[in-house]
Amino acid sequence: MDILISGASVAGPALALYLNRSGHRVTVVERAPALREGGYSVDFRGEAHMAVLRALGILADVEHHQTHMGDMSYVNESGKKMASVPGDLFAGDVEILRGDLARILYDATKDRTEYVFGDSITSLAQDADGVTVTFERGASRRFDLVVGADGLHSNVRSLAFDAPESAVTSYLGLYCAVFTLDNYLGLDHTGQLYSTPGKTVGIYSARNNTEAKAMFYFGSPPLDHDRRDVTRQKELLAEAYRGVGWETPTLLRKMWQADDFYFDSTSQVHLDSWSRGRVVLIGDAACCPSPLSGMGTGLALVGAHVLAGELAAANGDHRTAFARYEQEVRAYATGCQKSAVGVSKFMVPENRLMAWFMNQNYKIMPYLPWKGVIAKSVRKTASAITLKDYGLSRPAGTAPRPRPSGRAS
Ligand SMILES: Cc1cc2nc3c(=O)[nH]c(=O)nc-3n(C[C@H](O)[C@H](O)[C@H](O)COP(=O)(O)OP(=O)(O)OC[C@H]3O[C@@H](n4cnc5c(N)ncnc54)[C@H](O)[C@@H]3O)c2cc1C
């Protein structure tokens, strides 16, 4: 089949890798002019995540790019260490920068996938045999199927589902921003976090200490802004953190040079159905659990595995495949979404008392029995799906041929 995927981040290229192996012709359209390599670290934990990394054939690459982060410190306004967040509390089996993962997936697919950067779908017209797609820049084309892997603010979802974004997303109360800067504090596989009521800000070293990531989480009512206007987003962040101490003024000064600035709300997507006819959604577009869950990237990979697998199992019958894909993944996605609810209170203390309480907690965390309970519960959520082996783990043509019946091996 000719399959169009909108979005070249994590879910889109992962799906393309599987679909290439089934022999489909895949086009990926990405609105950004080039691969977007920003973002902070993402974790994979538990059997389901690891199984998909192995099936995709990228586990060795991902391990090669591991962040190897140690403990993070909570500091006070003058930079004095107040408490330590144990690295093994939140780290998964393997942790990698989102941008490195996007690059690995892109490199693994670029020879067999047509990538179109700097374009976006403007309309989708379905009929019995396919979908006619028009684009902002390119000529209109026909596809058998269209996949929306275009994130929380999915364009495909807006075009094909009769649901405005406000009706299918729920905001969890925080905004988050991330950008790359120089490792000017000389951090060695570690980071520092500083909280004031309603705001957390931090910096940690990345790519073997050759650079650093600044991250911000702040409470706010929903902000009305143009998501394509990065300058305005930077202004919003600067306004939100005006007067905040510690390294914040330096981080904000360096923000203006960052060309990979990421800014978004912590929101979830809740849809009654993930497909409409020949159009289907995966990753954040279908079921974003929000950055607060720490599960979004693993969930995107699991979705890609199951969708491609069910398409292969149903011999291309998209109705059957889409229904089975949703049946397999929905409960898992709901579990990932539930794990994010309530987390904002711990990411960003609402008042000084809560900030003090969190610091005390982190100080004694290594000695508390519930450290293990927290780590186990995150792992349980991430592992709460048993993935089928759809036979897509090897490139097409290299799978062992079935043995002729009646012959002993
Ligand atoms: C640059 C970047 C940085 C990120 N940083 C973080 C982070 O620091 N923390 C965090 O928790 N999550 C971050 N995320 C989100 C995280 O990648 C996802 O939550 C998760 O990995 C699921 O991925 P996804 O592929 O479903 O969606 P996303 O990663 O959101 O990818 C969606 C892709 O679709 C593209 N797109 C959007 N609209 C259109 C359109 N109209 N036409 C074509 N393409 C379109 C986007 O440019 C993007 O490449 C980031 C995403 C991006 C793109």
Side-chain angles (χ1 to χ4, degrees), residues 6-12 29-32 36-40 98 119-121 149-152 155 176 178 217 262 282-285 291 296-297 300:
S6 173
S9 174
V10 174
V29 59
E30 164 61 50
R31 195 181 60 193
R36 299 176 65 189
E37 303 204 35
Y40 62 16
R98 190 213 70 93
D119 209 347
S120 175
I121 300 170
D150 40 10
L152 172 61
N155 180 42
C176 109
V178 179
Y217 275 96
Y262 171 79
I282 57 166
D284 279 2
T297 306

Side-chain angles (χ1 to χ4, degrees), residues 5-14 28-42 44 98-99 101-102 105 116-122 135-136 148-156 159 176-179 204 213-215 217 227-228 260-264 266 282-301:
I5 299 173
S6 173
S9 174
V10 174
V28 179
V29 59
E30 164 61 50
R31 195 181 60 193
L35 195 68
R36 299 176 65 189
E37 303 204 35
Y40 62 16
S41 336
V42 294
F44 296 105
R98 190 213 70 93
L101 177 67
L105 287 166
V116 181
F117 286 98
D119 209 347
S120 175
I121 300 170
T122 46
F135 297 92
E136 265 174 28
D150 40 10
L152 172 61
H153 310 287
S154 172
N155 180 42
V156 168
L159 292 171
C176 109
V178 179
F179 59 86
Y204 58 90
K213 300 276 175 186
M215 57 167 259
Y217 275 96
R227 280 195 312 277
R228 295 196 197 192
D260 65 351
F261 185 79
Y262 171 79
F263 181 90
D264 215 330
T266 59
I282 57 166
D284 279 2
C287 51
C288 178
S290 91
L292 300 175
S293 71
M295 299 283 169
T297 306
L299 177 55
L301 292 189

Side-chain angles (χ1 to χ4, degrees), residues 101-235:
L101 177 67
R103 169 60 60 186
I104 289 170
L105 287 166
Y106 173 72
D107 284 344
T109 47
K110 64 178 195 259
D111 293 339
R112 295 180 69 189
T113 301
E114 177 194 14
Y115 277 93
V116 181
F117 286 98
D119 209 347
S120 175
I121 300 170
T122 46
S123 74
L124 297 165
Q126 302 193 42
D127 54 50
D129 305 320
V131 191
T132 301
V133 183
T134 60
F135 297 92
E136 265 174 28
R137 296 161 71 108
S140 100
R141 289 169 67 174
R142 285 280 287 177
F143 293 91
D144 295 298
L145 303 176
V146 175
V147 183
D150 40 10
L152 172 61
H153 310 287
S154 172
N155 180 42
V156 168
R157 193 180 62 220
S158 306
L159 292 171
F161 289 61
D162 190 19
E165 188 168 308
S166 58
V168 299
T169 53
S170 61
Y171 173 51
L172 300 182
L174 300 180
Y175 276 79
C176 109
V178 179
F179 59 86
T180 303
L181 71 167
D182 57 313
N183 183 10
Y184 75 100
L185 291 179
L187 300 166
D188 181 7
H189 294 95
T190 187
Q192 298 183 356
L193 293 162
Y194 171 67
S195 285
T196 66
K199 297 173 183 69
T200 290
V201 47
I203 175 171
Y204 58 90
S205 62
R207 296 195 173 110
N208 273 327
N209 307 327
T210 57
E211 60 185 39
K213 300 276 175 186
M215 57 167 259
F216 299 74
Y217 275 96
F218 65 98
S220 160
L223 296 169
D224 189 17
H225 66 98
D226 176 355
R227 280 195 312 277
R228 295 196 197 192
D229 186 347
V230 176
T231 304
R232 180 66 196 130
Q233 294 170 1
K234 288 181 175 178
E235 282 167 6

Side-chain angles (χ1 to χ4, degrees), residues 126 160-163 271-280 322:
Q126 302 193 42
F161 289 61
D162 190 19
L271 279 167
D272 293 340
S273 164
W274 295 346
S275 63
R276 288 282 190 281
R278 292 175 172 273
V279 179
V280 66
F322 291 175

Side-chain angles (χ1 to χ4, degrees), residues 19 28 53 83-84 90-91 99 115 119 129 144 173 206 238 244 256 269 271 308 319 369 383 388 400:
L19 293 177
V28 179
L53 292 176
S84 201
F90 299 109
Y115 277 93
D119 209 347
D129 305 320
D144 295 298
V244 175
W256 292 102
V269 173
L271 279 167
R319 281 184 205 85
S383 310
K388 293 182 194 159

Side-chain angles (χ1 to χ4, degrees), residues 20 48 64 157 196 236 363 378:
N20 287 156
H64 180 71
R157 193 180 62 220
T196 66
L236 285 169
K363 268 185 199 164
V378 180

